[in-house]
Amino acid sequence: MYCCRKVTDDLYWVGANDRKLPRFEGVYAVPNGMAYNSYLLLDEKTVLFDTVDAAVGERFFENVEHVLDGRSLDYVIVQHMEPDHSATLAQLIARYPEAEIVCSAKTTGLIGQFAPGLQVSAKAVKEGDTLPVGRHTLSFVAAPMVHWPEVIMTYDAADGILFSADAFGSFGALNGALFADEVDFERDWMDEARRYYTNIVGKYGPQVQSVLKKAAALDIRMICPLHGPVWRENIGLITEKYDRWSSYTPEEKGVVIAYGSVYGHTENAAEILSAMLREAGVKTAVYDVSVTPAADIIAAIFRMSHFVIASATTNNGLFVKTEDLLHDLAAHNIQNRTAAVIENGSWAPAAAKLIREQLSGCKNVQILEKSVTVKSALAPGQREELAALADAIRETI
Ligand code: FEO
């Protein structure tokens, strides 16, 4: 049975939710599920904005059929060709062969790659092109690398709606509430929106900044993303966060302490440091890299101004989970932070040097000179070393 919601008088949400998905993109746990949004506009022409992931195709097609109510589908705008939005495109064209695909020139190539042999009529559009469909005239905004190179966004000047593709989205299924103002977004969604942004789009801050500049020139009264809730009130809440995240500006002062510990001694040092910082009034968050996924720690580091990496040395190298975190952190382009290091090694501690090397490629990440070396377990007198490190961190906050 169809399950749709009205967005405006002539625009409908025809997407669907997946709460069985264990990991989005094979990597990111989605304990709250995932929404694949698609929107259908009923004007003189009918226009579908993107399709959905294959897992939710059945519900999606019921929704489209219900909203069309016997009308034909004139256009499907493919804003993003990643399969979570395009896996049902070939099926859609099979059901509605009259529909013309509207997309960027790069998307036409990707359609051929993802659906070899699919015979489609595709109209390639570029930034500034317009598509009149009746009361609404749609215009297109290039958004390369937000989050793939082919992405376009669509702006409807009639109602001030930006169809923003992946941007302004979030992990999490929509539980009947379509609009961000129907939930307590800051309490219940913001952490997942941050985790989604940092891990899916975080690498492409400059490109997001470019889109934000273009968006600032538009009269935007609603944002319809491809994941997560629709924004129609307090839009500045999410655009301000995007400005911060994409400019790699911390949201708050504080220290993320991520430790990789084999026998608990590195953990012990991390916890003592955290307690000392808390005692000095500094906010901290502590994660075990063997337990908390790197994606979650990266989101926390995007939030805070400082981070500490504490790690065991194994086989003359970095503890593997620390290495994974540092690799992902650099891959997500972390910038503008202050970092500190704690290492452990029983006979040849090497972690501090290796952590510094891994972070050396990150733009404007200042690594404090002072660090602490633990040999197996904290020795008498090392509380003072940790206190000195806590002081050095505090002085930079
Ligand atoms: Fe939601 Fe980049 O796909």
Side-chain angles (χ1 to χ4, degrees), residues 102 105 123 141 299 340 388:
V102 179
K123 176 186 173 72
V141 178

Side-chain angles (χ1 to χ4, degrees), residues 285-363:
V286 181
Y287 299 98
D288 183 328
V289 298
S290 298
V291 175
T292 305
D296 299 28
I297 302 174
I298 288 169
I301 291 175
F302 264 72
R303 180 174 186 164
M304 301 275 215
S305 58
H306 289 57
F307 64 93
V308 175
I309 305 294
S311 183
T313 306
T314 53
N315 299 324
N316 268 340
L318 271 176
F319 180 60
V320 65
K321 290 291 189 180
T322 309
E323 194 159 37
D324 287 350
L325 172 65
L326 290 169
H327 171 272
D328 279 4
L329 201 51
H332 287 84
N333 213 4
I334 190 69
Q335 301 176 18
N336 306 330
R337 297 296 190 278
T338 302
V341 177
I342 296 173
E343 68 174 349
N344 196 345
S346 290
W347 64 91
K353 176 173 167 284
L354 295 168
I355 292 166
R356 287 177 189 277
E357 281 173 10
Q358 289 238 21
L359 292 175
S360 64
C362 299
K363 195 172 162 188

Side-chain angles (χ1 to χ4, degrees), residues 10 41 43-45 47 75 131-138 158:
D10 53 7
L41 178 66
D43 202 341
E44 288 171 24
K45 301 284 187 185
V47 185
Y75 296 111
L131 180 69
V133 295
R135 184 174 76 85
H136 302 265
T137 295
L138 306 173

Side-chain angles (χ1 to χ4, degrees), residues 24-25 80 82 84-85 147 166 196 200 227:
F24 183 68
E25 294 190 354
H80 185 14
E82 193 164 11
D84 54 327
H85 310 293
H147 123 253
D166 271 345
Y196 167 87
I200 305 297
H227 303 287

Side-chain angles (χ1 to χ4, degrees), residues 139-156:
S139 59
F140 301 99
V141 178
M145 302 320 299
V146 186
H147 123 253
W148 276 15
E150 86 295 0
V151 171
I152 54 168
M153 297 180 184
T154 311
Y155 177 63
D156 166 29

